[in-house]
Amino acid sequence: MLRLTVNGVPTTVEIGWGGESLLHVLRERMGLPGSKNACEQGECGSCTVLLDSLPVCSCLVAAGQAHGREVVTVEGLSAGDDRGFVGRAFLAAGAVQCGFCTPGFVVAVHELLSRSDEPSELEVREALAGNLCRCTGYEKIIDAVHRAAGQLRERR
């Protein structure tokens, strides 16, 4: 049995096999499809979640490594009163096309904005270096990050 906290809720989940990834547990056993299954090699960032507040590719994390830890998925970041501001900034900036990569970007941007509400372009590019988008290019995504940062500053 795997015990962890997912999106603020203590949870116990049965693991099917020793090599099962955190991504598989989240998507298939817990019904949280926001983290996408794409490369399964940690190359694209579509499966990014926060593990104890740090962004990780959940496809590379063995489920057992999450035992006793806190996981936040894009669903957890989008719930609540105004927690979906990063996703809305992506929509407003035109940074979403097919949307497959967007959840991973949203998680990475939340982590970045938790460290800095006025990140430099270099900080943004570094924070998003592990996330790939094949549709939009990156300028609109970077615009979305600055838009979300501006909204965050206005709220403080």
Side-chain angles (χ1 to χ4, degrees):
M1 292 300 239
L2 174 65
R3 290 190 175 90
L4 68 165
T5 300
V6 178
N7 298 331
V9 179
T11 304
T12 301
V13 178
E14 188 170 330
I15 301 175
W17 45 284
E20 190 168 1
S21 71
L22 177 59
L23 174 63
H24 189 269
V25 168
L26 293 170
R27 287 182 56 84
E28 305 304 327
R29 299 193 185 280
M30 299 185 71
L32 295 169
S35 304
K36 302 302 182 200
N37 186 3
C39 73
E40 294 189 78
Q41 298 176 1
E43 298 287 332
C44 72
S46 295
C47 63
T48 302
V49 299
L50 298 177
L51 181 62
D52 291 340
S53 302
L54 295 175
V56 298
C57 291
S58 60
C59 69
L60 296 181
V61 177
Q65 291 178 297
H67 187 79
R69 300 174 78 179
E70 183 174 348
V71 176
V72 178
T73 68
V74 71
E75 290 94 342
L77 294 172
S78 300
D81 294 338
D82 197 30
R83 298 181 71 188
F85 73 100
V86 173
R88 286 194 300 279
F90 269 64
L91 290 173
V96 176
Q97 194 163 341
C98 82
F100 194 83
C101 65
T102 305
F105 275 103
V106 168
V107 173
V109 170
H110 268 276
E111 190 280 329
L112 170 64
L113 297 180
S114 74
R115 293 184 279 120
S116 172
D117 65 1
E118 196 165 353
S120 69
E121 180 139 345
L122 178 60
E123 290 172 316
V124 172
R125 290 184 182 274
E126 284 180 356
L128 302 181
N131 296 77
L132 300 178
C133 175
R134 296 179 185 207
C135 299
T136 63
Y138 293 91
E139 293 307 315
K140 291 182 178 181
I141 291 172
I142 291 169
D143 291 347
V145 175
H146 290 298
R147 184 181 292 249
Q151 292 173 4
L152 185 61
R153 287 190 304 273
E154 287 176 10
R155 292 190 313 191
R156 291 185 176 165

